[in-house]
Amino acid sequence: MTATEFLPLPVVDGRTLQYEDFLKTYALPRQPCLITNLGENWPALAKWTSAMYFLDHQGVNKNWEVSCSAGPAGAEAEVETTVGEALRTIGANPSEPFYLNAWAYVRGGSEGLAEDFSVPKFFERAPDFLSSNVVLGNSSIDMRWLYIGSKGTASPTHVDTNLSSAWLWCASGRKEWICASGEDYDLLTAGTGSAAHGYRSEDSDTDSDPLPDFFDPQLFAKWPKTRQARLYRGVQEKGDVCFNPSRCVHAVRNLEACVSLTHNFVDATNLADVALDATRSLREEILPMCREMRPKSFLKHLSRSLGISRAELSQALLDLPSLLSDENVEEAVSCAAGGAEPGAEREACRAMLHAELRRRLAKVKPAFEEAAAELKERLAAGLSSSKK
Ligand SMILES: O=C(O)CCC(=O)C(=O)O
């Protein structure tokens, strides 16, 4: 396929979409889409209309430190500030481009905001051992974000952290998205320093190329490989979710002032992708650190950067080799299949998820388990010798 035009981002009505169709058409084939009419009864639809709601909210920790973008898309400067200051800036100068982006509201002590919405049935269907696993990104705490910004703010082309999937709900405003099929991840990221959200080429230690700028008017001429990719473009309205499956390269800009909520997640639909990224992280980041440091210092250092206790971290790392055991995989599949109505639909979902996850994990599991076993061995040996 060679294309110099975008495809329309598929739009589907969330009121009638069946979970089985969501799995078949979007989640498992890694197809991004817009899902309309979600959150019609959520308090957030009426309340999350401006920065001021969050500023006045008693449950918001205004002192949490955040990194924001100031200035027009493409010429932004990074500003370190607090949630309270960022909200005041947006409220005071609504026409100045300022973006409180990736505000980790749960990690940042503002989890009370979750009373204003509930997670749609399509997403986050995961047992605790997946959603609170630190090596898989600790999604229940560290992958829940709010994005509040003025018209003209944007998020440049990126791939989501840990190769997880994301749902982003627009509470107010309009957003324009360009999303690639998750199947085109290898094509689009080859030779680039692509990593998680927030990746900037100038921060990279390598000479890798940046990802294509999806909103560049000369995109197809400047990055010829994008002609081989399936790139979808669409506008998200208030009350719509944009679903970005794992491995989906995407960019977004705010056509109006926007308040949006996004959660990334790890469940049976994307576990093999997330395990592949965890293997990379074990090999390239965690194991080299563990080989260089004494186990106690390693745990101290890593637990601080992950924001969990040393005991929790040590247990999670020692348990890692059995994370993808048959029993755990079955539990993940059952939990995800619970998105479907009991009966035939649920059984069909269970069978589909089981077959697909097994097939995908077969390619990923041996390397994951090898890296996890080395880590366990080093930690166990080091911790027992330091007790003597
Ligand atoms: O809405 C935004 O600006 C960014 C959302 C996004 O792409 C993400 O969270 O990965």
Side-chain angles (χ1 to χ4, degrees), residues 144-165:
R144 298 183 172 191
W145 293 286
L146 282 161
Y147 283 75
I148 303 176
S150 30
K151 177 177 170 174
T153 49
S155 290
T157 314
H158 65 278
V159 184
D160 280 355
T161 185
N162 298 67
L163 293 184
S164 56
S165 308

Side-chain angles (χ1 to χ4, degrees), residues 96-329:
E96 294 289 312
F98 192 91
Y99 209 8
L100 169 52
N101 47 11
W103 165 21
Y105 73 93
V106 175
R107 170 60 69 186
S110 301
E111 63 279 6
L113 290 169
E115 285 175 13
D116 289 347
F117 64 90
S118 45
V119 177
K121 69 173 181 188
F122 309 108
F123 317 115
E124 300 182 40
R125 307 213 56 93
D128 229 37
F129 70 82
L130 290 184
S131 58
S132 62
N133 189 293
V134 283
V135 176
L136 306 186
N138 199 8
S139 56
S140 59
I141 294 180
D142 288 326
M143 294 194 194
R144 298 183 172 191
W145 293 286
L146 282 161
Y147 283 75
I148 303 176
S150 30
K151 177 177 170 174
T153 49
S155 290
T157 314
H158 65 278
V159 184
D160 280 355
T161 185
N162 298 67
L163 293 184
S164 56
S165 308
W167 62 276
L168 182 142
W169 180 72
C170 188
S172 60
R174 296 171 81 223
K175 294 167 97 81
E176 184 178 21
W177 291 84
I178 299 178
C179 309
S181 161
E183 303 297 307
D184 291 329
Y185 171 85
D186 289 334
L187 168 79
L188 291 167
T189 59
T192 73
S194 141
H197 180 85
Y199 166 80
R200 286 182 172 77
S201 50
E202 65 267 26
D203 296 340
S204 174
D205 290 335
T206 64
D207 291 334
S208 49
D209 297 326
L211 283 166
D213 175 357
F214 281 175
F215 281 107
D216 188 316
Q218 303 303 318
L219 171 70
F220 296 106
K222 283 194 191 162
W223 287 275
K225 67 180 176 185
T226 56
R227 296 179 202 160
Q228 258 72 50
R230 285 148 287 187
L231 297 183
Y232 300 89
R233 190 168 194 158
V235 174
Q236 176 183 29
E237 308 285 345
K238 171 186 170 104
D240 298 348
V241 158
C242 184
F243 170 62
N244 279 298
S246 51
R247 302 172 75 89
C248 162
V249 182
H250 56 278
V252 55
R253 59 187 183 188
N254 293 327
L255 301 176
E256 293 169 9
C258 280
V259 175
S260 31
L261 163 75
T262 184
H263 286 190
N264 278 61
F265 60 94
V266 183
D267 67 13
T269 62
N270 62 9
L271 180 56
D273 294 336
V274 178
L276 179 71
D277 188 65
T279 309
R280 178 204 55 76
S281 163
L282 285 168
R283 284 177 171 167
E284 294 174 13
E285 295 153 6
I286 300 178
L287 273 169
M289 201 167 136
C290 183
R291 288 182 198 124
E292 259 176 37
M293 297 168 99
R294 291 216 301 264
K296 269 192 161 174
S297 336
F298 163 77
L299 288 172
K300 184 170 161 188
H301 186 82
L302 195 57
S303 62
R304 267 199 203 146
S305 73
L306 295 172
I308 61 166
S309 74
R310 258 182 270 178
E312 260 181 293
L313 174 64
S314 151
Q315 198 53 55
L317 298 182
L318 294 171
D319 289 346
L320 217 47
S322 56
L323 183 73
L324 303 177
S325 67
D326 290 351
E327 206 186 351
N328 281 356
V329 168

